[in-house]
Amino acid sequence: MNEDDFPTPEVDVESIAPATLKQRIDAGEQVTILDTRVASEHEEWAIDGPTVESVNVPYYEFLDDPDEETLDQVPEGEPLIVVCAKGGASEYVAGVLAQERDVDVVNLENGMNGWANIYERVEIEAYDGPGRAFQYQRPSSGCLGYLVVSGDEAAVIDPLRNFADRYLDDAEEFDATLQYAFDTHIHADHISGVRTLDDRGVEGVIPDASVDRGVTYADVVETAADGDTYEVGEATVETVYTPGHTSGMTSYLVGESLLTTGDGLFVESVARPDLEEGDEGAPDAARELYETLQERVLTLPDDTVVAGAHFSDAAEPAADGSYTAPIGDLVDEMDALTMDEADFVDVVLADMPPRPANYVDIIETNLGQQVADDEEAFELELGPNNCAASQDALTGD
């Protein structure tokens, strides 16, 4: 049944905005969720957190007068927040529960699609370069992006197409013009916003080393080679070639203080090496990643702040709320950064998580080899990113 086909509940059902729900979770409130999507969707990605209880009972169990066995699966907790993909099925289920049980029940507005539209901006207080640096956080997928503002100029790193307007608006908020939109690599988990922003007058920049993968628009945007620099007000953005996750993986050193590492190094893990060349090419990519980390990243000053393109449930935010950490702290905490090459490769290749959903279509869209409209692009990137190797193995936990 299409969500638009569900009848309107016979009782009024209140809604909660995704942003409000996120605020409650961040505040440590107990949150009880009834997720009415099919089991496979709930298993792939769901709203979670240390104070969140999420129980999955598919919406179709509530059609045609649900029996006591179905109703008994509904968790206790008030308000009970009912969730589905877009908000239609959950509104219907919430109405059924309001009629059948004397409970305080609310519907998540726009469902998981609404949750996927949460995009928060956090200032990186440890940034010590000219101007200011901010981290964008998308909790639904763990995607991270960055905004650098210096004087009347700004740049965004790893922008998402779905939030192209947001970057322009945020730059304007700081009385700055968005000059550059940088990609660290050809992403496999979300649709890049570089081309969209380039179409709107921002200079799009992709790594020169990624062009050989078959990028169809390389002659339209700027291509950044290792050592190239870009001026954003008084801040310098330096290109640092860091292959391993992909052959074209590139980091950007901002203001000699902040290293945006894309999917090469995260605060809780390192990159998975199999998304470009598959299982067969993963060992060579893992060895290349080891060399990159040892010779190109860990040789930077210990107080250089690492800022990856993703975070997972295993990541601990810094005091400022950003998912960043100094290189020196990561070396102290992450076993993978002090292993020899053979052990590193073995650990990185062990227990590889599932590949990101729709990653082939996402890669081809980011290469420009296939086309997706805004709605299709949004649907493609729903779900977890899964771009890191196993955190437990890498940290020794």
Side-chain angles (χ1 to χ4, degrees):
M1 177 182 290
N2 188 296
E3 287 202 12
D4 297 330
D5 296 334
F6 282 90
T8 301
E10 296 181 12
V11 297
D12 290 336
V13 175
E14 293 186 7
S15 293
I16 182 172
T20 302
L21 174 58
K22 177 66 164 49
Q23 290 170 0
R24 292 184 180 179
I25 294 173
D26 289 345
E29 295 183 24
Q30 293 294 323
V31 172
T32 305
I33 293 175
L34 174 64
D35 194 318
T36 64
R37 296 174 297 157
V38 298
S40 60
E41 294 177 355
H42 180 261
E43 290 170 1
E44 184 178 8
W45 70 303
I47 299 170
D48 56 18
T51 61
V52 176
E53 177 189 9
S54 180
V55 175
N56 177 230
V57 184
Y59 69 88
Y60 52 76
E61 300 284 352
F62 295 91
L63 300 176
D64 302 325
D65 298 324
D67 56 26
E68 285 299 315
E69 183 178 352
T70 295
L71 294 174
D72 286 345
Q73 297 179 63
V74 176
E76 296 182 1
E78 296 192 13
L80 175 64
I81 300 169
V82 189
V83 175
C84 68
K86 299 179 181 179
S90 54
E91 182 182 34
Y92 170 78
V93 172
V96 170
L97 293 174
Q99 288 179 283
E100 297 288 339
R101 297 283 175 92
D102 184 20
V103 294
D104 181 9
V105 58
V106 297
N107 179 46
L108 181 64
E109 187 178 290
N110 298 319
M112 293 299 287
N113 281 13
W115 186 252
N117 273 310
I118 296 176
Y119 202 51
E120 299 174 315
R121 191 184 76 203
V122 175
E123 184 159 11
I124 303 171
E125 295 178 2
Y127 172 68
D128 195 31
R132 302 167 71 184
F134 301 86
Q135 182 180 74
Y136 290 107
Q137 302 174 355
R138 191 182 196 184
S140 65
S141 62
C143 284
L144 301 172
Y146 298 90
L147 180 73
V148 179
V149 183
S150 178
D152 60 359
E153 295 184 342
V156 63
I157 300 171
D158 284 335
L160 279 62
R161 174 169 150 185
N162 189 59
F163 299 99
D165 290 336
R166 171 71 181 274
Y167 308 122
L168 293 165
D169 291 343
D170 282 5
E172 185 176 354
E173 177 186 331
F174 293 107
D175 296 322
T177 299
L178 194 61
Q179 295 291 112
Y180 296 105
F182 296 93
D183 256 346
T184 55
H185 64 297
I186 303 300
H187 293 277
D189 65 297
H190 67 260
I191 305 301
S192 167
V194 163
R195 280 185 293 161
T196 299
L197 289 168
D198 190 80
D199 288 343
R200 298 183 187 181
V202 180
E203 183 70 47
V205 183
I206 63 173
D208 180 70
S210 69
V211 173
D212 288 344
R213 293 188 66 184
V215 175
T216 64
Y217 53 91
D219 58 340
V220 176
V221 299
E222 178 83 7
T223 56
D226 185 43
D228 286 352
T229 58
Y230 300 83
E231 302 302 321
V232 180
E234 295 184 357
T236 297
V237 179
E238 180 183 354
T239 306
V240 182
Y241 182 44
T242 52
H245 175 63
T246 66
S247 58
M249 182 72 238
T250 295
S251 300
Y252 296 101
L253 181 61
V254 182
E256 299 184 349
S257 169
L258 179 75
L259 185 69
T260 61
T261 52
D263 289 2
L265 177 62
F266 312 106
V267 297
E268 77 281 31
S269 185
V270 302
R272 64 185 300 163
D274 64 325
L275 294 182
E276 181 176 343
E277 297 294 341
D279 294 338
E280 184 176 337
D284 285 342
R287 284 186 279 271
E288 187 171 44
L289 176 61
Y290 178 84
E291 182 177 330
T292 285
L293 293 173
Q294 295 298 322
E295 298 181 4
R296 312 230 68 194
V297 176
L298 302 184
T299 52
L300 293 170
D302 282 352
D303 60 355
T304 304
V305 177
V306 169
H310 299 294
F311 70 99
S312 72
D313 294 342
E316 292 289 338
D320 60 10
S322 71
Y323 291 94
T324 61
I327 285 178
D329 288 2
L330 294 183
V331 172
D332 290 340
E333 297 167 3
M334 196 182 303
D335 290 352
L337 300 182
T338 56
M339 292 176 179
D340 63 26
E341 181 180 291
D343 287 343
F344 177 89
V345 171
D346 287 344
V347 169
V348 166
L349 296 179
D351 194 27
M352 199 79 71
R355 291 183 172 97
N358 305 314
Y359 79 101
V360 173
D361 287 331
I362 291 173
I363 289 172
E364 291 185 357
T365 301
N366 285 330
L367 288 170
Q369 296 175 0
Q370 69 180 41
V371 176
D373 62 27
D374 288 344
E375 182 176 354
E376 292 168 337
F378 181 77
E379 293 289 335
L380 278 175
E381 62 190 20
L382 292 177
N385 62 75
N386 290 343
C387 286
S390 170
Q391 288 86 9
D392 288 347
L394 292 166
T395 57
D397 294 338

PDB file of all heavy atoms in Angstrom, residues 283-298:
ATOM      1  N   PRO A 283      43.251  -5.233  -0.979  1.00  0.00           N
ATOM      2  CA  PRO A 283      44.551  -5.316  -0.289  1.00  0.00           C
ATOM      3  C   PRO A 283      45.548  -4.251  -0.743  1.00  0.00           C
ATOM      4  O   PRO A 283      46.240  -3.649   0.084  1.00  0.00           O
ATOM      5  CB  PRO A 283      45.031  -6.725  -0.631  1.00  0.00           C
ATOM      6  CG  PRO A 283      43.771  -7.502  -0.862  1.00  0.00           C
ATOM      7  CD  PRO A 283      42.855  -6.542  -1.558  1.00  0.00           C
ATOM      8  N   ASP A 284      45.638  -4.028  -2.058  1.00  0.00           N
ATOM      9  CA  ASP A 284      46.559  -2.998  -2.551  1.00  0.00           C
ATOM     10  C   ASP A 284      46.131  -1.613  -2.062  1.00  0.00           C
ATOM     11  O   ASP A 284      46.978  -0.785  -1.691  1.00  0.00           O
ATOM     12  CB  ASP A 284      46.614  -3.015  -4.082  1.00  0.00           C
ATOM     13  CG  ASP A 284      47.425  -4.179  -4.631  1.00  0.00           C
ATOM     14  OD1 ASP A 284      48.214  -4.756  -3.853  1.00  0.00           O
ATOM     15  OD2 ASP A 284      47.273  -4.501  -5.821  1.00  0.00           O
ATOM     16  N   ALA A 285      44.825  -1.362  -2.071  1.00  0.00           N
ATOM     17  CA  ALA A 285      44.329  -0.070  -1.593  1.00  0.00           C
ATOM     18  C   ALA A 285      44.617   0.107  -0.112  1.00  0.00           C
ATOM     19  O   ALA A 285      44.943   1.210   0.344  1.00  0.00           O
ATOM     20  CB  ALA A 285      42.834   0.057  -1.875  1.00  0.00           C
ATOM     21  N   ALA A 286      44.500  -0.971   0.663  1.00  0.00           N
ATOM     22  CA  ALA A 286      44.789  -0.895   2.098  1.00  0.00           C
ATOM     23  C   ALA A 286      46.255  -0.569   2.340  1.00  0.00           C
ATOM     24  O   ALA A 286      46.597   0.204   3.246  1.00  0.00           O
ATOM     25  CB  ALA A 286      44.413  -2.209   2.779  1.00  0.00           C
ATOM     26  N   ARG A 287      47.141  -1.164   1.535  1.00  0.00           N
ATOM     27  CA  ARG A 287      48.574  -0.849   1.675  1.00  0.00           C
ATOM     28  C   ARG A 287      48.833   0.613   1.306  1.00  0.00           C
ATOM     29  O   ARG A 287      49.659   1.289   1.945  1.00  0.00           O
ATOM     30  CB  ARG A 287      49.398  -1.802   0.797  1.00  0.00           C
ATOM     31  CG  ARG A 287      49.534  -3.214   1.396  1.00  0.00           C
ATOM     32  CD  ARG A 287      50.470  -4.077   0.586  1.00  0.00           C
ATOM     33  NE  ARG A 287      49.786  -4.630  -0.583  1.00  0.00           N
ATOM     34  CZ  ARG A 287      49.113  -5.781  -0.587  1.00  0.00           C
ATOM     35  NH1 ARG A 287      49.039  -6.498   0.521  1.00  0.00           N
ATOM     36  NH2 ARG A 287      48.537  -6.222  -1.684  1.00  0.00           N
ATOM     37  N   GLU A 288      48.145   1.086   0.282  1.00  0.00           N
ATOM     38  CA  GLU A 288      48.302   2.489  -0.110  1.00  0.00           C
ATOM     39  C   GLU A 288      47.783   3.409   0.994  1.00  0.00           C
ATOM     40  O   GLU A 288      48.372   4.461   1.277  1.00  0.00           O
ATOM     41  CB  GLU A 288      47.553   2.749  -1.416  1.00  0.00           C
ATOM     42  CG  GLU A 288      47.786   4.128  -1.992  1.00  0.00           C
ATOM     43  CD  GLU A 288      47.211   4.274  -3.393  1.00  0.00           C
ATOM     44  OE1 GLU A 288      46.063   3.808  -3.616  1.00  0.00           O
ATOM     45  OE2 GLU A 288      47.892   4.834  -4.262  1.00  0.00           O
ATOM     46  N   LEU A 289      46.679   3.022   1.625  1.00  0.00           N
ATOM     47  CA  LEU A 289      46.132   3.813   2.727  1.00  0.00           C
ATOM     48  C   LEU A 289      47.124   3.880   3.889  1.00  0.00           C
ATOM     49  O   LEU A 289      47.325   4.945   4.490  1.00  0.00           O
ATOM     50  CB  LEU A 289      44.805   3.211   3.195  1.00  0.00           C
ATOM     51  CG  LEU A 289      44.146   3.878   4.406  1.00  0.00           C
ATOM     52  CD1 LEU A 289      43.806   5.333   4.110  1.00  0.00           C
ATOM     53  CD2 LEU A 289      42.885   3.106   4.818  1.00  0.00           C
ATOM     54  N   TYR A 290      47.757   2.760   4.195  1.00  0.00           N
ATOM     55  CA  TYR A 290      48.749   2.731   5.280  1.00  0.00           C
ATOM     56  C   TYR A 290      49.876   3.725   4.986  1.00  0.00           C
ATOM     57  O   TYR A 290      50.277   4.515   5.853  1.00  0.00           O
ATOM     58  CB  TYR A 290      49.314   1.322   5.435  1.00  0.00           C
ATOM     59  CG  TYR A 290      50.380   1.212   6.503  1.00  0.00           C
ATOM     60  CD1 TYR A 290      50.029   1.042   7.840  1.00  0.00           C
ATOM     61  CD2 TYR A 290      51.738   1.294   6.176  1.00  0.00           C
ATOM     62  CE1 TYR A 290      51.009   0.951   8.824  1.00  0.00           C
ATOM     63  CE2 TYR A 290      52.714   1.205   7.152  1.00  0.00           C
ATOM     64  CZ  TYR A 290      52.345   1.033   8.479  1.00  0.00           C
ATOM     65  OH  TYR A 290      53.306   0.956   9.447  1.00  0.00           O
ATOM     66  N   GLU A 291      50.382   3.682   3.769  1.00  0.00           N
ATOM     67  CA  GLU A 291      51.464   4.590   3.381  1.00  0.00           C
ATOM     68  C   GLU A 291      51.019   6.041   3.468  1.00  0.00           C
ATOM     69  O   GLU A 291      51.759   6.911   3.945  1.00  0.00           O
ATOM     70  CB  GLU A 291      51.926   4.255   1.959  1.00  0.00           C
ATOM     71  CG  GLU A 291      53.088   5.099   1.473  1.00  0.00           C
ATOM     72  CD  GLU A 291      53.550   4.689   0.086  1.00  0.00           C
ATOM     73  OE1 GLU A 291      53.420   3.491  -0.252  1.00  0.00           O
ATOM     74  OE2 GLU A 291      54.030   5.563  -0.653  1.00  0.00           O
ATOM     75  N   THR A 292      49.783   6.297   3.018  1.00  0.00           N
ATOM     76  CA  THR A 292      49.249   7.659   3.076  1.00  0.00           C
ATOM     77  C   THR A 292      49.195   8.162   4.511  1.00  0.00           C
ATOM     78  O   THR A 292      49.634   9.286   4.814  1.00  0.00           O
ATOM     79  CB  THR A 292      47.832   7.689   2.469  1.00  0.00           C
ATOM     80  OG1 THR A 292      47.927   7.613   1.046  1.00  0.00           O
ATOM     81  CG2 THR A 292      47.098   8.974   2.837  1.00  0.00           C
ATOM     82  N   LEU A 293      48.632   7.349   5.392  1.00  0.00           N
ATOM     83  CA  LEU A 293      48.496   7.779   6.785  1.00  0.00           C
ATOM     84  C   LEU A 293      49.858   8.021   7.426  1.00  0.00           C
ATOM     85  O   LEU A 293      50.068   9.040   8.109  1.00  0.00           O
ATOM     86  CB  LEU A 293      47.711   6.735   7.580  1.00  0.00           C
ATOM     87  CG  LEU A 293      46.233   6.574   7.202  1.00  0.00           C
ATOM     88  CD1 LEU A 293      45.613   5.394   7.929  1.00  0.00           C
ATOM     89  CD2 LEU A 293      45.455   7.859   7.495  1.00  0.00           C
ATOM     90  N   GLN A 294      50.801   7.116   7.203  1.00  0.00           N
ATOM     91  CA  GLN A 294      52.101   7.225   7.849  1.00  0.00           C
ATOM     92  C   GLN A 294      52.950   8.367   7.286  1.00  0.00           C
ATOM     93  O   GLN A 294      53.679   9.029   8.046  1.00  0.00           O
ATOM     94  CB  GLN A 294      52.864   5.896   7.707  1.00  0.00           C
ATOM     95  CG  GLN A 294      52.224   4.733   8.440  1.00  0.00           C
ATOM     96  CD  GLN A 294      52.158   4.952   9.947  1.00  0.00           C
ATOM     97  OE1 GLN A 294      53.082   5.504  10.541  1.00  0.00           O
ATOM     98  NE2 GLN A 294      51.064   4.522  10.557  1.00  0.00           N
ATOM     99  N   GLU A 295      52.858   8.610   5.987  1.00  0.00           N
ATOM    100  CA  GLU A 295      53.771   9.550   5.345  1.00  0.00           C
ATOM    101  C   GLU A 295      53.150  10.909   5.021  1.00  0.00           C
ATOM    102  O   GLU A 295      53.885  11.898   4.881  1.00  0.00           O
ATOM    103  CB  GLU A 295      54.326   8.930   4.057  1.00  0.00           C
ATOM    104  CG  GLU A 295      55.137   7.655   4.305  1.00  0.00           C
ATOM    105  CD  GLU A 295      55.708   7.074   3.026  1.00  0.00           C
ATOM    106  OE1 GLU A 295      55.545   7.699   1.959  1.00  0.00           O
ATOM    107  OE2 GLU A 295      56.307   5.980   3.102  1.00  0.00           O
ATOM    108  N   ARG A 296      51.812  10.974   4.959  1.00  0.00           N
ATOM    109  CA  ARG A 296      51.199  12.222   4.524  1.00  0.00           C
ATOM    110  C   ARG A 296      50.314  12.869   5.584  1.00  0.00           C
ATOM    111  O   ARG A 296      50.055  14.066   5.520  1.00  0.00           O
ATOM    112  CB  ARG A 296      50.359  12.001   3.266  1.00  0.00           C
ATOM    113  CG  ARG A 296      51.047  11.212   2.187  1.00  0.00           C
ATOM    114  CD  ARG A 296      50.943  11.910   0.841  1.00  0.00           C
ATOM    115  NE  ARG A 296      51.688  13.144   0.785  1.00  0.00           N
ATOM    116  CZ  ARG A 296      51.533  14.067  -0.180  1.00  0.00           C
ATOM    117  NH1 ARG A 296      50.628  13.885  -1.129  1.00  0.00           N
ATOM    118  NH2 ARG A 296      52.241  15.165  -0.181  1.00  0.00           N
ATOM    119  N   VAL A 297      49.814  12.059   6.526  1.00  0.00           N
ATOM    120  CA  VAL A 297      48.905  12.591   7.549  1.00  0.00           C
ATOM    121  C   VAL A 297      49.582  12.665   8.912  1.00  0.00           C
ATOM    122  O   VAL A 297      49.630  13.726   9.531  1.00  0.00           O
ATOM    123  CB  VAL A 297      47.615  11.735   7.632  1.00  0.00           C
ATOM    124  CG1 VAL A 297      46.719  12.225   8.765  1.00  0.00           C
ATOM    125  CG2 VAL A 297      46.858  11.780   6.310  1.00  0.00           C
ATOM    126  N   LEU A 298      50.137  11.563   9.369  1.00  0.00           N
ATOM    127  CA  LEU A 298      50.698  11.516  10.712  1.00  0.00           C
ATOM    128  C   LEU A 298      52.000  12.300  10.844  1.00  0.00           C
ATOM    129  O   LEU A 298      52.497  12.504  11.956  1.00  0.00           O
ATOM    130  CB  LEU A 298      50.922  10.069  11.149  1.00  0.00           C
ATOM    131  CG  LEU A 298      49.674   9.185  11.151  1.00  0.00           C
ATOM    132  CD1 LEU A 298      49.975   7.809  11.693  1.00  0.00           C
ATOM    133  CD2 LEU A 298      48.533   9.838  11.917  1.00  0.00           C
TER     134      LEU A 298
END
